[in-house]
Amino acid sequence: MKKQIIGCITLMAACLITAKAADWYAPQEPFPLYGNTYYVGTGGISAVLITSPAGHILVDVGGPEATEPVVAHIRKLGFRVEDIRYILNSHAHQDHAGAIADVQKLSGATVLASPASVKVLESGQPDPADAQFPNLTPMSPVAHTRAVRDGEIVHLGPLAVTAHFTPGHTQGGVSWTWQAEEGGRTVNVVFADSLYALAAEGRYFSRNPLYPHAQADVERSIATVAALPCDVLISAHPELGGLWERKAKQAALGDVAFIDAEACRNYAAKARATLAQTLAAEAGS
């Protein structure tokens, strides 16, 4: 996926989908997002820890290079990796899931994902139907997985995290939502999966015989994310959801800096524009 994003897509959307692989793992100090929700990822790949006295939930980890910093971030915040009970996955590409096997071994957590993603995570092999397949990298197989249903609520003590299937970027994409409370105010938090229509060089997103309904899926997923109750957005790649712009205001405003009721709709609008560019480029080829 790294090579595809950097070299194979020439649309303006490629600039949105960021940067060089080195930037994905740029150093990033962990920080509170809101209430019991913390950013523990790297500079370009989101990982979020949701904490409770009954144990913790980790949403995504990153690629293999992210294992060490994410574990260190969790411990730096004062939490035990061994207390992670669930690891939730957005989609089963190496840059978001490649470190899951390592963190699962350290924590003993159960890994939750969509049925399509569970197949990839368990085997460690990329999905051949993925339009990005020629550039996807195998991962370490993940043990102790469980497939969730669309709309299923994952409970852990006081925590309740809902799965929203958002396929298109991959067949198994999931966005996750929950509520966080701070200072008597409760907000809706969204970890939004990637919604971008991408294909490797020589393949097509819109004319993929192995995944013929990819366009319909991504259109539906964009609409799903746009309609979610959404106060605090973390996107799978943090810069695409505007996280760093909001983070820059945290020192002055506190954690309310992360509240933006338009964030999910803006994120969906970017994905919709990328889809239009991808379809236009593919129609002319």
Side-chain angles (χ1 to χ4, degrees):
M1 182 172 174
K2 296 176 185 177
K3 178 181 176 183
Q4 177 264 329
I5 288 176
I6 297 166
C8 298
I9 298 291
T10 57
L11 301 172
M12 183 177 70
C15 298
L16 290 174
I17 297 297
T18 193
K20 301 174 182 177
D23 295 333
W24 289 355
Y25 303 103
Q28 172 59 54
E29 287 294 303
F31 57 90
L33 283 159
Y34 203 88
N36 63 341
T37 299
Y38 300 84
Y39 188 91
V40 296
T42 60
I45 305 290
S46 293
V48 170
L49 187 71
I50 315 166
T51 65
S52 86
H56 315 315
I57 295 175
L58 181 63
V59 188
D60 273 358
V61 184
E65 300 95 327
T67 300
E68 185 174 338
V70 168
V71 168
H73 291 166
I74 293 168
R75 290 175 174 156
K76 187 170 185 176
L77 290 168
F79 301 108
R80 285 167 31 93
V81 173
E82 296 80 6
D83 291 335
I84 298 171
R85 300 290 179 257
Y86 294 118
I87 300 172
L88 314 183
N89 179 232
S90 61
H91 66 274
H93 281 169
Q94 192 216 37
D95 54 326
H96 302 282
I100 286 180
D102 291 340
V103 178
Q104 192 280 325
K105 290 174 185 175
L106 290 171
S107 63
T110 300
V111 177
L112 305 182
S114 69
S117 286
V118 163
K119 286 180 61 177
V120 175
L121 293 171
E122 288 182 339
S123 69
Q125 298 302 310
D127 177 6
D130 195 314
Q132 300 174 59
F133 176 77
N135 296 313
L136 297 177
T137 305
M139 302 177 286
S140 297
V142 177
H144 303 293
T145 63
R146 180 170 71 79
V148 297
R149 303 180 307 277
D150 189 15
E152 180 175 340
I153 301 174
V154 178
H155 292 280
L156 176 63
L159 304 181
V161 183
T162 302
H164 305 268
F165 282 16
T166 45
H169 183 74
T170 69
Q171 294 196 82
V174 183
S175 297
W176 302 90
T177 64
W178 62 96
Q179 292 188 321
E181 187 274 333
E182 182 174 314
R185 180 177 183 179
T186 299
V187 302
N188 296 296
V189 184
V190 176
F191 189 107
D193 185 28
S194 295
L195 300 175
Y196 291 85
L198 300 175
E201 186 174 19
R203 298 192 72 168
Y204 295 92
F205 180 83
S206 59
R207 303 197 298 273
N208 180 358
L210 299 178
Y211 187 8
H213 52 281
Q215 180 181 340
D217 277 357
V218 81
E219 288 173 343
R220 186 165 50 251
S221 295
I222 290 168
T224 294
V225 170
L228 289 172
C230 178
D231 300 305
V232 175
L233 169 68
I234 310 99
S235 54
H237 288 276
E239 74 283 357
L240 297 182
L243 184 67
W244 302 131
E245 289 82 355
R246 293 191 287 280
K247 175 71 172 66
K249 303 174 184 177
Q250 188 180 26
L253 300 178
D255 295 350
V256 296
F258 294 109
I259 298 175
D260 180 356
E262 295 300 313
C264 280
R265 285 188 285 271
N266 291 337
Y267 181 62
K270 289 179 183 178
R272 198 172 288 115
T274 298
L275 174 62
Q277 292 167 345
T278 297
L279 296 177
E282 292 185 350
S285 61

